[in-house]
Amino acid sequence: LNDIEPAFEDTEYWQKNDLFISIRNQSAIIHYRPNTNKVINYITGPFAQQHDVDIISDKEISIFNNNNFFDNDDYSEVLIYNFKTNKFTKLFNNELKKENFKTTSGGLSHIFEDKSLMVEEQNHGRLILFNKNGKKEWEYVNKDKNGDIGYINWSRIVEDKTLIEKFRLLVRNKEC
C-alpha cells in the first residue's frame, strides 16, 4: 500500500467515501467501498509499481506510473484511466521522455484545474511543472551546497488563496 485517494462525492462510477488504493507490489489500483466492505474494481494495466492515484474528474483517475517493468522501463509516466471507456491515456508523455523523467520508487503527479501538471521525481530530488500545453515552466532540483541531491516526498503546491494569505500574515507578524 502506498497511497489512498478518497472520493468526496458520488458520480456515476463511484460513491462518496469510496477509496482508490494503490498497491505497488501488485501493480494494481483497488476501488474499494468501505460501507459494504466490497472491492468494486481491481484495475491493472500498462503500469508497474505505480505510486500515486488521484481522482481528477467525475469519471477519471490519474496514476503515477513508476514503470518498473523488467524491460522497457526507461521513464516514469502519468496515466489517465477513464471509467466510461475503460481505457488508459498518457499525459505529456513526450515531454516526460524528453526530460528523461524516471523515479523507481515514490514520485507523484498533480494535475491542476487549468490542466497544468506537476511531477515529482523522488529518487532524483526533482520537481517539474508543465503548463497545460506541455511546455516546461520550471524545474527544481533539491541539491545542497556541495551539489548532493536529496530525496523529496509528497510535494505539494498550495492553491488555497485563503490559506496562503493566512500564512503570509503569520510570517509578517512573526507568529510562526
Side-chain angles (χ1 to χ4, degrees):
L1 170 66
N2 62 17
D3 187 29
I4 298 175
E5 176 81 0
F8 293 114
E9 57 189 44
D10 290 343
T11 76
E12 184 178 341
Y13 303 97
W14 54 79
Q15 294 177 4
K16 183 178 179 179
N17 298 321
D18 281 4
L19 301 173
F20 291 93
I21 303 167
S22 175
I23 307 293
R24 179 184 191 266
N25 291 348
Q26 291 182 16
S27 296
I29 304 295
I30 297 171
H31 174 191
Y32 173 70
R33 185 157 296 145
N35 68 348
T36 62
N37 195 29
K38 300 278 186 206
V39 171
I40 307 305
N41 291 300
Y42 186 83
I43 303 165
T44 59
F47 55 88
Q49 298 185 352
Q50 78 292 336
H51 194 71
D52 181 32
V53 59
D54 294 318
I55 296 171
I56 60 169
S57 76
D58 63 353
K59 64 180 177 281
E60 296 171 309
I61 58 173
S62 68
I63 301 166
F64 183 85
N65 180 17
N66 290 93
N67 210 10
N68 289 336
F69 290 102
F70 291 111
D71 60 356
N72 191 24
D73 68 346
D74 295 336
Y75 57 93
S76 299
E77 301 172 317
V78 178
L79 299 174
I80 308 299
Y81 180 72
N82 185 306
F83 284 83
K84 183 175 184 178
T85 64
N86 294 318
K87 295 192 181 197
F88 292 92
T89 56
K90 296 179 181 183
L91 184 63
F92 297 152
N93 207 45
N94 291 333
E95 292 80 357
L96 292 169
K97 280 183 187 179
K98 180 182 170 188
E99 293 296 327
N100 195 29
F101 185 82
K102 176 66 176 175
T103 187
T104 56
S105 62
L108 63 79
S109 59
H110 180 76
I111 301 168
F112 295 92
E113 286 184 24
D114 71 352
K115 305 301 181 203
S116 58
L117 171 71
M118 182 186 78
V119 288
E120 176 191 279
E121 190 179 32
Q122 174 188 304
N123 301 132
H124 303 288
R126 181 165 68 150
L127 296 171
I128 303 174
L129 179 73
F130 296 98
N131 69 20
K132 66 181 179 182
N133 300 314
K135 179 179 179 247
K136 183 167 75 170
E137 292 288 327
W138 55 259
E139 174 180 38
Y140 168 77
V141 178
N142 187 29
K143 287 185 184 180
D144 66 15
K145 64 182 178 183
N146 298 319
D148 296 322
I149 295 174
Y151 281 8
I152 51 178
N153 291 299
W154 296 107
S155 304
R156 295 289 185 261
I157 293 179
V158 177
E159 299 176 85
D160 184 317
K161 292 182 188 312
T162 304
L163 180 62
I164 293 168
E165 190 52 38
K166 285 180 181 179
F167 183 75
R168 283 184 179 148
L169 287 172
L170 287 172
V171 170
R172 229 177 274 138
N173 297 329
K174 296 181 176 52
E175 294 179 20
C176 68

